[in-house]
Amino acid sequence: MDGMIYVTLARWPDGLDENGQVELLVATTGLDPFTARQRVAHGIPGVLLRTDQTAGWDMIDKLDAAGAMAIGLSPTEIGAAPEPRKAKRLMEAQGAPKPMYMVEFWREEAQALLCDDVFLLVRAKIDRSQVRVRTGSPPGPGDFFSTSLSPGAAGAFALNLNWTPGTHTTTVKFTHIIDLYTRSGTRVRIDGDKFNFDVLGDQRGLTELENVDKLALKLAGECKGAMVDTGFGDFRVSPELARGVVHDLVGTTVIKRDEGPAFELYSVWSWHLHRRLMAR
């Protein structure tokens, strides 16, 4: 996306009804009224459009001047966010004066995490489901029942299944993620698929969803100065991030949905948004 920018909207100006929101987008972004009304109907927060940086920053300035809260995500802004460091497990620092953990990473040296240093916790459920459709061979004449008649005998009916019905199989898969952003510039990522939940002790549950939720609540309670963001499911992304991947095989179509790229954008967007709110 070199040279391009995502123009996103976090908040409307106060006092605008739906028609006023449409008029604002038309005036500030150049969207036609039909597309602008679609953006309004989809709701915020979300991506309004993707455009070149010169035009995009001008749109953001106009939206901000009108009282909205707009955020631009160019390669520079995306690259400014700390890279996620994937945690393998958390170990509580026993006897520490304040809540603190030692983080064991998958490919890096362990590092201490002081809860007072965490300013943002992003919790998300990412859809990575798959649909597999196999095309069957269409039935031809006589493929269901054939009739055999002989002189002086009743007709004999035989079931003839020389055709193959199609199949439609859906595999549901969700990944549960926690991103912890610190004031010192670190992002610790907890991926429920690849994390040891021993830190929950007796509270450890049976499912990834249950354990990630319990861990998020535990960390939110201990990192008292942290803002908690659970809004990924409501974030509206641009089409190139929402589209699934389609693989056409002989007689089979596989559609893979992966919200991973959308979450990567959202997590960075949330980091920029909450840093902006902190600076006010």
Side-chain angles (χ1 to χ4, degrees):
M1 57 173 290
D2 289 349
M4 305 295 284
I5 185 173
Y6 289 103
V7 178
T8 74
L9 190 63
R11 189 182 67 201
W12 294 107
D14 295 334
L16 285 186
D17 60 11
E18 181 178 324
N19 289 331
Q21 292 169 356
V22 171
E23 292 172 1
L24 175 66
L25 292 187
V26 171
T28 57
T29 68
L31 291 173
D32 63 82
F34 176 77
T35 304
R37 191 167 294 278
Q38 283 187 316
R39 296 292 188 273
V40 171
H42 288 163
I44 59 170
V47 175
L48 295 176
L49 72 162
R50 182 172 177 260
T51 186
D52 68 89
Q53 291 195 46
T54 300
W57 288 119
D58 182 61
M59 295 173 191
I60 290 166
D61 289 342
K62 290 177 179 177
L63 286 164
D64 284 346
M69 179 181 286
I71 296 173
L73 291 180
S74 71
T76 301
E77 278 67 41
I78 293 175
E83 287 290 323
R85 302 177 64 190
K86 298 178 181 179
K88 185 175 183 179
R89 62 166 53 89
L90 297 178
M91 294 163 284
E92 291 186 89
Q94 301 295 331
K98 294 182 178 181
M100 180 179 176
Y101 291 90
M102 183 61 69
V103 185
E104 181 182 343
F105 296 101
W106 279 100
R107 290 188 173 88
E108 305 173 54
E109 292 184 1
Q111 178 180 318
L113 176 70
L114 185 64
C115 282
D116 281 355
D117 192 32
V118 178
F119 81 91
L120 175 62
L121 184 156
V122 182
R123 162 77 173 95
K125 178 176 74 172
I126 299 173
D127 187 355
R128 290 194 167 111
S129 299
Q130 174 179 289
V131 176
R132 182 180 293 267
V133 180
R134 190 177 70 179
T135 305
S137 60
D143 268 343
F144 293 101
F145 288 94
S146 62
T147 306
S148 174
L149 295 176
S150 59
F157 296 90
L159 184 63
N160 182 12
L161 293 178
N162 293 323
W163 63 281
T164 305
T167 59
H168 186 288
T169 305
T170 300
T171 303
V172 178
K173 169 64 177 173
F174 293 106
T175 298
H176 299 273
I177 300 285
I178 299 173
D179 270 357
L180 298 171
Y181 287 95
T182 69
R183 293 176 177 83
S184 55
T186 298
R187 178 174 17 163
V188 176
R189 171 161 296 178
I190 296 168
D191 182 335
D193 286 339
K194 304 166 185 173
F195 186 78
N196 183 315
F197 289 98
D198 286 350
V199 70
L200 294 175
D202 294 340
Q203 297 301 309
R204 180 171 179 168
L206 298 177
T207 67
E208 177 188 335
L209 169 61
E210 182 182 2
N211 287 326
V212 172
D213 278 345
K214 286 181 176 181
L215 182 58
L217 288 171
K218 175 178 173 65
L219 291 171
E222 295 171 340
C223 305
K224 299 185 183 300
M227 293 169 281
V228 178
D229 183 344
T230 59
F232 172 64
D234 297 324
F235 189 71
R236 304 304 177 213
V237 298
S238 53
E240 73 272 8
L241 292 174
R243 202 176 288 129
V245 178
V246 179
H247 299 284
D248 285 317
L249 308 173
V250 178
T252 303
T253 300
V254 180
I255 304 171
K256 294 182 178 180
R257 178 174 174 80
D258 186 1
E259 291 181 334
F263 174 72
E264 294 300 340
L265 183 75
Y266 178 81
S267 186
V268 172
W269 177 87
S270 182
W271 178 72
H272 279 284
L273 170 65
H274 288 91
R275 288 174 74 234
R276 183 168 167 178
L277 293 174
M278 286 173 57
R280 291 190 165 192

